[in-house]
Amino acid sequence: MKTIPTHYYKKEWYKDIEFKMDEISDVYERVGERIFKPHCLDFHQFFFVSDGEGEHEVDFEKFSIKKNTLIPLISGQVQSHIADQNIKGFTIVFTSNFLIHEEVNLKYLFNSLTFNPFIKPIQIQCDDELVTLIMMLKKAFINNNTFEYQEVLRSYLKLIILKVEEIKRQSVGSSNDLPFNVYSSFYQELSHHINYKTKIADIFKLLNTDGKKISAALKKTVNKSPKQLLDERIVLELKRLLSYTNLSIKEIAHQLGFDEAANMANYFKKHVGCSPSAFRESIKII
């Protein structure tokens, strides 16, 4: 396996509106054994457990899930479902196109922590308010003869996102007046330059924004420097490739811009505390 498998949005599944809610058991039956292997999604998803207990993993964060657990999943994150778990619930699947129906909705994707790849995944234990919103969304989805059907779905979805956003900001100690425009521009640009040779100064130039302004925005949002975020993103990509592909360490080093495998090994050990080969052996995926 040279790349991490990606599960793509399939138009025939989602009634041409790029939104769907499915029972977890139905998803497992439709996708088959592939669902239990590490994979990415090219759409966004909320994974909601209505009953039972089990485990779920997202980008090396292992979650113990139980009744009323909600896990937000961002397009591009690697997740692993566990087979033979006694859980019930459903997935809420939607694309960026569905959510960003109008320009005003851009903030729900690009100005939030919920869909921020630099914030580590979290699980949410839903309170009554959030559970009620989720169930109202499900009811609205089933009743597809509703006037302005898509807009009703979009409205409930945005309310859920806002509630999740409130919880996620509390979890990272962020306030409500974050300088998100600068911050969002930075991480979007950085996501296209995940490479050891990437220079922070070059990202600043691409954004045509003063580096001090960007650094201050990042400090205020996640209390990290631009270099820390770049290193974290490179390390995450290294972990993904070591865990979910059979690329050699030399091939991975080349793919991410290291001149020598030894340089990558030193970099990885500095940030993770063990060698790439030791990490790959420890997770026992390959």
Side-chain angles (χ1 to χ4, degrees):
M1 184 169 60
K2 293 295 185 182
T3 60
I4 301 168
T6 298
H7 293 191
Y8 293 96
Y9 157 78
K10 293 188 177 180
K11 197 171 184 179
E12 64 268 26
W13 291 353
Y14 304 109
K15 303 180 182 179
D16 297 333
I17 66 171
E18 302 190 22
F19 176 94
K20 188 169 177 62
M21 298 180 72
D22 269 323
E23 297 292 329
I24 292 173
S25 58
D26 291 340
V27 174
Y28 289 174
E29 182 178 351
R30 184 176 65 230
V31 180
E33 288 299 315
R34 294 185 302 125
I35 198 75
F36 302 117
K37 297 178 181 179
H39 60 275
C40 299
L41 303 176
D42 82 330
F43 45 81
H44 308 292
Q45 181 184 93
F46 286 120
F47 185 82
F48 178 71
V49 178
S50 60
D51 199 15
E53 296 182 351
E55 294 183 345
H56 198 77
E57 183 173 336
V58 183
D59 272 341
F60 307 98
E61 294 290 332
K62 294 183 178 180
F63 299 124
S64 296
I65 54 179
K66 59 183 180 180
K67 183 177 180 179
N68 292 340
T69 293
L70 181 72
I71 300 178
L73 293 155
I74 306 170
S75 174
Q77 286 182 322
V78 178
Q79 67 168 330
S80 300
H81 293 261
I82 310 300
D84 301 321
Q85 294 193 130
N86 184 28
I87 59 172
K88 296 179 181 179
F90 45 85
T91 61
I92 304 170
V93 168
F94 58 97
T95 66
S96 298
N97 289 336
F98 176 80
L99 184 59
I100 308 175
H101 184 62
E102 298 174 335
E103 187 173 349
V104 67
N105 293 329
L106 284 168
K107 64 182 180 181
Y108 290 96
L109 279 183
F110 301 121
N111 290 357
S112 71
L113 298 183
T114 302
F115 299 102
N116 186 326
F118 287 141
I119 305 297
K120 71 178 183 178
I122 66 168
Q123 66 178 34
I124 294 168
Q125 200 56 38
C126 301
D127 58 16
D128 291 343
E129 179 185 357
L130 187 49
V131 171
T132 298
L133 286 172
I134 292 170
M135 299 313 296
M136 290 176 72
L137 174 61
K138 185 179 182 182
K139 182 178 179 180
F141 174 72
I142 294 171
N143 187 16
N144 58 10
N145 293 320
T146 302
F147 176 69
E148 290 288 357
Y149 177 60
Q150 291 190 44
E151 196 56 43
V152 170
L153 296 178
R154 197 174 290 111
S155 296
Y156 280 124
L157 179 61
K158 289 190 290 186
L159 286 171
I160 291 169
I161 291 172
L162 288 172
K163 182 65 176 177
V164 170
E165 178 71 6
E166 178 185 11
I167 295 169
K168 196 158 188 178
R169 289 191 183 197
Q170 291 172 353
S171 75
V172 298
S174 297
S175 62
N176 290 323
D177 59 349
L178 305 178
F180 269 126
N181 289 338
V182 174
Y183 177 46
S184 299
S185 297
F186 175 82
Y187 84 69
Q188 288 180 65
E189 193 64 52
L190 187 59
S191 68
H192 295 111
H193 298 84
I194 306 169
N195 192 287
Y196 180 67
K197 289 186 169 66
T198 296
K199 304 297 182 186
I200 293 299
D202 294 334
I203 301 294
F204 292 162
K205 287 180 182 178
L206 289 169
L207 294 172
N208 194 27
T209 304
D210 179 66
K212 291 182 179 179
K213 182 178 179 181
I214 294 175
S215 296
L218 299 181
K219 181 72 173 178
K220 189 173 183 180
T221 52
V222 290
N223 197 29
K224 293 178 181 178
S225 69
K227 183 61 166 62
Q228 283 178 297
L229 292 177
L230 174 60
D231 285 335
E232 286 183 5
R233 189 61 187 85
I234 292 173
V235 168
L236 175 59
E237 197 65 22
L238 286 169
K239 285 183 174 181
R240 286 176 171 177
L241 294 173
L242 288 165
S243 300
Y244 307 130
T245 76
N246 60 6
L247 291 169
S248 69
I249 291 176
K250 183 177 181 180
E251 288 173 318
I252 293 172
H254 176 73
Q255 184 168 316
L256 292 186
F258 292 88
D259 292 328
E260 301 287 342
N263 294 339
M264 187 201 84
N266 291 334
Y267 176 88
F268 190 85
K269 188 170 185 178
K270 175 183 176 182
H271 291 280
V272 181
C274 64
S275 68
S277 57
F279 176 81
R280 172 170 271 181
E281 178 63 25
S282 70
I283 49 102
K284 297 180 180 178
I285 294 294
I286 302 301

